[in-house]
Amino acid sequence: MTSFLHRPLHSSDDLFRRLRGCFPAAEVERAVTAAGVEVLGVRVPRERARDVWEEWRGRHGESGWWPYITLISPTDMAERRAELGRDDGVLEHWVREAVCQDHDATAASILVSACRWAVEEAANVDDDLDLWRSVYDPDRLAPLLQPPVERPLRGVSHWATGTRDFFTEDLRWLHFVAARGGYEVPVLLPFLYTTWNWSGYADRGLTPLDASALLRRWHEQWGAELFFAMGPRLELVVDRPPLDPRGAAQAVAELHAYCIDTVQDSVEAGDTMARSTMWSLWWD
């Protein structure tokens, strides 16, 4: 097994045997991507996907394998076209960068780039540029939001456990990849979800390293954890979402910079999604 700087406490053989023991009637599968990343998975009922994920997330510290929900098998994941051309050296470099990079600085840079693109490229001559800037400036956005709330709003999964759009199958796949946290998944499996197929902002196309930096920042700042990933869709379970206007404004500004397709109304998102326990993102 290729470690990519992270050697899990349990080997893939140990995890595979454990999954078969815990899910004797379920389909259990393992595969290796062209770049050498091992992916293990077990099929679970859709309605139990969140509970099973929570259980195995709680075991991450003892196993070193990060769980996430998706719709495809490990074999299908390993065969995805995006892995072509990604060798061990490339992923070793990416993971090293993901571990060492200043993720707060990267997130700030993404925010600045998004604001510059909005003002210089997307805004019309008649647009209120101050309104455009308020979307990306938490100090301007915070006064437009509702007062603090006492407890997080309840977030609802659209795709991992729901039946929205074409996500109507009764079963989901619970995958495992050797990683320090969900924030490393974008660099280990670069096209598990495909935000970077879209060209992004005119002066900065976002990369797997950008995604890793944002996910790690959100993990440290608000307890956001990668929960579901598939195609142009991503869901994060958020343990400590911001409850006050300033914190919500900061979160929604970064979410808007990352996924303008979902966060189109920053005031609404700042009052709702940013303060909830589930962040569901979708790229058009």
Side-chain angles (χ1 to χ4, degrees):
M1 183 185 72
T2 303
S3 69
F4 300 113
L5 305 180
H6 173 72
R7 194 172 295 278
L9 299 177
H10 292 173
S11 70
S12 59
D13 289 339
D14 291 338
L15 179 60
F16 187 73
R17 286 192 293 268
R18 191 172 184 183
L19 290 175
R20 296 192 70 174
C22 292
F23 303 92
E27 184 178 359
V28 182
E29 191 176 300
R30 63 199 300 184
V32 182
T33 71
V37 177
E38 290 195 272
V39 182
L40 285 76
V42 58
R43 297 198 82 182
V44 298
R46 170 179 50 81
E47 63 274 11
R48 292 194 60 225
R50 173 67 184 269
D51 292 337
V52 174
W53 177 83
E54 290 281 11
E55 178 183 353
W56 287 87
R57 176 176 70 147
R59 299 177 181 177
H60 173 256
E62 68 183 55
S63 73
W65 292 84
W66 184 261
Y68 65 87
I69 302 295
T70 191
L71 298 183
I72 61 176
S73 70
T75 299
D76 290 338
M77 178 67 247
E79 293 176 352
R80 290 178 74 87
R81 64 175 177 80
E83 291 294 340
L84 296 177
R86 312 293 188 196
D87 60 17
D88 287 3
V90 171
L91 286 196
E92 191 82 9
H93 170 74
W94 276 5
V95 174
R96 183 179 292 109
E97 287 295 312
V99 171
C100 298
Q101 70 178 334
D102 185 334
H103 43 280
D104 288 331
T106 300
S109 176
I110 292 170
L111 195 58
V112 170
S113 295
C115 182
R116 183 184 302 118
W117 174 83
V119 172
E120 296 179 0
E121 302 291 338
N124 297 316
V125 293
D126 296 329
D127 284 346
D128 184 347
L129 294 184
D130 284 340
L131 182 60
W132 271 96
R133 293 188 182 95
S134 70
V135 171
Y136 301 99
D137 185 342
D139 290 327
R140 293 173 182 241
L141 180 59
L144 306 178
L145 302 184
Q146 295 294 323
V149 295
E150 293 184 0
R151 58 184 62 87
L153 304 179
R154 181 176 177 271
V156 177
S157 170
H158 294 313
W159 306 299
T161 59
T163 58
R164 184 172 177 176
D165 300 329
F166 58 88
F167 295 89
T168 57
E169 291 187 25
D170 289 334
L171 295 176
R172 298 288 187 265
W173 278 96
L174 176 68
H175 281 192
F176 296 85
V177 63
R180 293 174 180 80
Y183 52 82
E184 287 187 350
V185 172
V187 297
L188 292 169
L189 303 173
F191 283 78
L192 172 62
Y193 68 103
T194 52
T195 67
W196 26 88
N197 273 351
W198 174 56
S199 60
Y201 305 111
D203 62 342
R204 180 169 187 156
L206 299 184
T207 70
L209 279 170
D210 291 325
S212 179
L214 287 170
L215 293 186
R216 187 175 178 188
R217 170 174 162 72
W218 297 341
H219 161 72
E220 294 182 357
Q221 188 75 17
W222 297 297
E225 304 282 18
L226 188 146
F227 169 52
F228 174 90
M230 176 69 191
R233 297 169 174 86
L234 173 70
E235 287 187 327
L236 306 174
V237 168
V238 188
D239 294 333
R240 307 181 307 275
L243 305 183
D244 63 291
R246 182 58 177 77
Q250 183 68 47
V252 81
E254 295 176 14
L255 286 164
H256 183 94
Y258 186 44
C259 186
I260 192 174
D261 293 311
T262 297
V263 190
Q264 296 182 354
D265 186 331
S266 294
V267 173
E268 179 184 3
D271 288 334
T272 55
M273 184 179 77
R275 306 190 201 197
S276 78
T277 56
M278 181 76 68
W279 294 352
S280 295
L281 304 177
W282 174 77
W283 288 263
D284 189 354

